[in-house]
Amino acid sequence: EATKDNDGLHFYIQDNGDVTCYTANDKEVYRGFACDGTDTYFFQYDGTAMRDRLTYEPEGKYILYFDEQGHEVFNDYAHVKHSIAGEEVDDYCFFDVYGHMYVDVLTWDQTGTKLLYANPYGVLEVGKWFQFSETVVWADGTPVDEGMAGGYGYAMEDATLMRDQYTYDWEGRLCYMQGNGVVLY
């Protein structure tokens, strides 16, 4: 069992990976968020940190993800293995600086060099041709360029959109992948 303290909170990590938290007066934290100084957790009704799970934030507007250690994911990719309903999935998703899942968004990775597209289900397109939705926006909420919504793109195996190069489309036609990731004939 490992422990960590922060601002009067005591975090206990069990051998099985379960994380629990207690206040300075030994009250167990449940149904709430707590930070150990580095990572943010959500403690469930049973007092254990939610792990390896997507969930809605308390207001129900955004989707959050807690990794296998129970840490909320911020400004990073996550390999999501369980849906909100608990079903097994094999998806890659991207979460913003507030921990909110990008949904129907075109964005840059942390380095600012890789363009990514999270589809209307919040899943990054990977290793295939796809069609952008009609409602896709940039991560800051601004509309995409005209002709981009509903256009086609190609996401490589690392989820990076192919751009600024010639290639052949799904029917073998020569095309140019524009800087915004949309195919041009």
Side-chain angles (χ1 to χ4, degrees), residues 103-117:
V103 176
D104 203 14
V105 166
L106 192 63
T107 190
W108 296 94
D109 73 342
Q110 304 94 318
T111 67
T113 59
K114 295 180 179 183
L115 189 59
L116 311 168
Y117 174 58

Side-chain angles (χ1 to χ4, degrees), residues 115 147 162-165 176-184:
L115 189 59
M162 184 183 288
R163 52 192 203 93
D164 298 320
Q165 68 185 54
Y176 183 73
M177 302 306 296
Q178 301 175 87
N180 61 7
V182 177
V183 68
L184 177 66

Side-chain angles (χ1 to χ4, degrees), residues 61-95:
K61 184 175 180 184
Y62 300 104
I63 297 172
L64 312 175
Y65 181 69
F66 295 89
D67 68 15
E68 292 174 348
Q69 290 79 40
H71 306 154
E72 185 174 358
V73 176
F74 294 98
N75 198 34
D76 205 354
Y77 300 91
H79 184 193
V80 176
K81 298 176 191 155
H82 295 96
S83 70
I84 287 177
E87 299 165 349
E88 288 191 28
V89 296
D90 186 22
D91 296 329
Y92 287 89
C93 302
F94 196 80
F95 297 83

Side-chain angles (χ1 to χ4, degrees), residues 24-43:
N25 57 356
D26 287 331
K27 293 188 100 182
E28 187 172 23
V29 176
Y30 66 98
R31 289 184 35 211
F33 291 90
C35 180
D36 66 9
T38 304
D39 295 299
T40 300
Y41 302 86
F42 179 77
F43 293 94

